[in-house]
Amino acid sequence: MDIQNSDSKYRTAAAIVDQVLKQASVVVVPGMSVAAICSYADELVEASCRAVFRKEETIERGVALPTTVSVNRIIQNYSPGPEDDYVLREGDVAKVEVSAHIDGCMASAAHTSVATNAPGTAITDRRADVISAAYHASEVAARMIRPGQSARNVVKALSLVAAGFNCAVAADTFTCQIDRFVISGKNTFANRFDPDAPVADFTFESGETYTVDCTLSSGSGISRQSGYESTVYQRDVSRQHSLKLRTSRALFSEVSRRFSVFPFLMRAAVGDSSALKAGITECVRTRLLAPFAVTMDKEPGDTFVAQFKSTVRCHYTGPVRLTRALPLPNVQSSVVIPTESEIGQILALDCEQATLPELPRLKLQIQTPVPVEAGSTESGAAAAAAMDMS
């Protein structure tokens, strides 16, 4: 693939992500099913990807990472099926993450919204602090993806932003170098400082592209298993193993036939087949399939996690943001970042916004989900209880 065609596909993927993330964030309202939001966004991504590069009929395209809507203190990877669904309640903090790819050229972005029937009323509690902290952390990190800047300095800056808002960078969140059909390249690094696992000391180079995932918590930021089953999986195409169980072989054959290197929803692979579901354990144990754990902050109570994610290219002139940032929800934190501070000076740096193509209008309109009554289903009530568990 030539560089010009590759660049066009990255920009088109970014335009799709921008459009879908905006549409998905609009339906983050009380009474809305999280499963419905995830399904809606994924359908929009698939339809939008089919509508572009029509002359290249054989290229792979679509969802690069299934849409997730992680609520309150859940950190990441929550894309529930009907059995684990959650219905949003007034005041919930919802992190919507959307990804798309065209011929392996991907873009990813995330935005945090507050589900409320009173958007005109400013939020001033700890939710305001963590949302503002995550937003500013994202803006800082994006401006630091420039030639000669080091990954170690990015981690340091994120820690400074988090500390200023009395928050913490969430564990197991990363800045990932991406490439064609690669969602986590060699220069991927953890955003949370860990003295036992120091950040590799490398500098960014012109031509590299990164997904910058800034996820912060009003609690400790230390993660633990949420209790929800993983729904997002990824196939390790570099591994081979002779599976013993017929159900495992059937499942892996189905996954290999339908999905390539990008993560996928297991329910899309197994459907209602109990036989295929029975093969998951062996495929995971042999590391042919890797589950994406649904994690949450270990601190109970009124702990909230916020996320802002962008796709940024390191250009020789400085950072070029491929995905656009959406407006912040109506939050007012008491914390102000001084313009003369180290973080204030980074925020004053330029960060160019890439010019994105205009997308064609979809011929088949995707139905927008509508709210249901909160707690109206048994599974919704159970998920609500799980969100509050200590």
Side-chain angles (χ1 to χ4, degrees):
M1 183 190 302
D2 63 72
I3 295 177
Q4 185 174 2
N5 193 23
S6 172
D7 180 68
S8 177
K9 288 174 178 175
Y10 275 111
R11 290 172 187 259
T12 302
I16 291 171
V17 166
D18 281 358
Q19 180 172 280
V20 174
L21 183 59
K22 182 177 181 180
Q23 291 174 270
S25 296
V26 167
V27 296
V28 174
V29 295
M32 187 65 74
S33 154
V34 167
I37 298 174
C38 293
S39 177
Y40 173 58
D42 284 343
E43 288 182 34
L44 284 171
V45 169
E46 293 288 353
S48 299
C49 288
R50 288 194 299 268
V52 296
F53 292 92
R54 300 287 294 271
K55 293 182 179 179
E56 299 184 44
E57 297 178 356
T58 61
I59 63 172
E60 185 180 334
R61 65 186 81 198
V63 172
L65 179 71
T67 298
T68 60
V69 181
S70 301
V71 184
N72 294 335
R73 65 189 183 104
I74 290 183
I75 294 174
Q76 59 189 351
N77 300 328
Y78 184 56
S79 180
E83 68 282 356
D84 275 335
D85 196 9
Y86 174 78
V87 177
L88 293 175
R89 297 178 291 182
E90 178 69 33
D92 280 342
V93 175
K95 304 167 286 293
V96 182
E97 182 173 349
V98 175
S99 304
H101 81 96
I102 304 293
D103 200 16
C105 302
M106 71 167 289
S108 184
H111 179 75
T112 297
S113 300
V114 177
T116 179
N117 289 318
T121 302
I123 296 168
T124 59
D125 55 21
R126 285 293 284 160
R127 292 173 297 172
D129 290 337
V130 72
I131 291 172
S132 297
Y135 171 80
H136 285 100
S138 177
E139 292 298 308
V140 165
R143 283 162 172 75
M144 296 181 76
I145 307 295
R146 58 180 67 238
Q149 183 59 270
S150 72
R152 188 170 295 177
N153 284 341
V154 172
V155 174
K156 176 186 173 184
L158 294 181
S159 297
L160 286 174
V161 175
F165 287 85
N166 193 25
C167 293
V169 178
D172 303 319
T173 58
F174 300 87
T175 294
C176 298
Q177 183 186 10
I178 60 174
D179 209 333
R180 187 172 177 236
F181 289 107
V182 176
I183 66 171
S184 183
K186 66 176 182 178
N187 284 344
T188 293
F189 59 93
N191 291 330
R192 179 183 172 94
F193 176 73
D194 183 352
D196 296 326
V199 178
D201 191 17
F202 69 89
T203 57
F204 304 116
E205 297 182 5
S206 178
E208 296 174 339
T209 306
Y210 291 84
T211 54
V212 184
D213 182 3
C214 294
T215 305
L216 273 63
S217 172
S218 64
S220 67
I222 300 173
S223 65
R224 70 171 177 85
Q225 297 288 335
S226 66
Y228 291 108
E229 290 188 4
S230 296
T231 57
V232 179
Y233 288 74
Q234 186 176 19
R235 180 166 67 98
D236 187 342
V237 295
S238 67
R239 288 187 64 83
Q240 293 183 340
H241 195 281
S242 296
L243 296 167
K244 296 180 180 180
L245 301 177
R246 182 175 60 184
T247 53
S248 304
R249 294 194 297 271
L251 170 62
F252 191 66
S253 175
E254 180 69 8
V255 168
S256 300
R257 181 181 67 85
R258 295 183 54 190
F259 306 104
S260 63
V261 299
F262 290 108
F264 62 92
L265 288 171
M266 182 58 75
R267 60 179 174 271
V270 302
D272 296 326
S273 172
S274 57
L276 291 179
K277 290 178 183 178
I280 295 175
T281 300
E282 186 182 12
C283 288
V284 170
R285 180 173 54 79
T286 56
R287 293 186 292 171
L288 292 175
L289 298 179
F292 284 36
V294 182
T295 59
M296 63 172 23
D297 193 291
K298 66 178 293 185
E299 285 194 14
D302 292 332
T303 298
F304 298 96
V305 176
Q307 176 193 27
F308 291 88
K309 184 178 183 180
S310 59
T311 303
V312 182
R313 177 167 293 159
C314 183
H315 193 259
Y316 70 89
T317 60
V320 178
R321 176 181 264 149
L322 296 182
T323 53
R324 295 187 178 97
L326 293 176
L328 272 174
N330 192 1
V331 296
Q332 293 181 6
S333 173
S334 61
V335 178
V336 176
I337 299 176
T339 55
E340 68 277 7
S341 67
E342 181 179 350
I343 297 303
Q345 293 177 29
I346 296 173
L347 288 172
L349 297 174
D350 290 334
C351 186
E352 182 184 344
Q353 175 62 58
T355 301
L356 302 181
E358 183 176 347
L359 298 175
R361 184 181 181 87
L362 297 181
K363 294 181 179 180
L364 179 63
Q365 296 301 306
I366 307 299
Q367 185 174 357
T368 305
V370 296
V372 297
E373 184 180 350
S376 61
T377 65
E378 187 174 329
S379 62
M387 292 288 180
D388 298 329
M389 64 184 174
S390 60

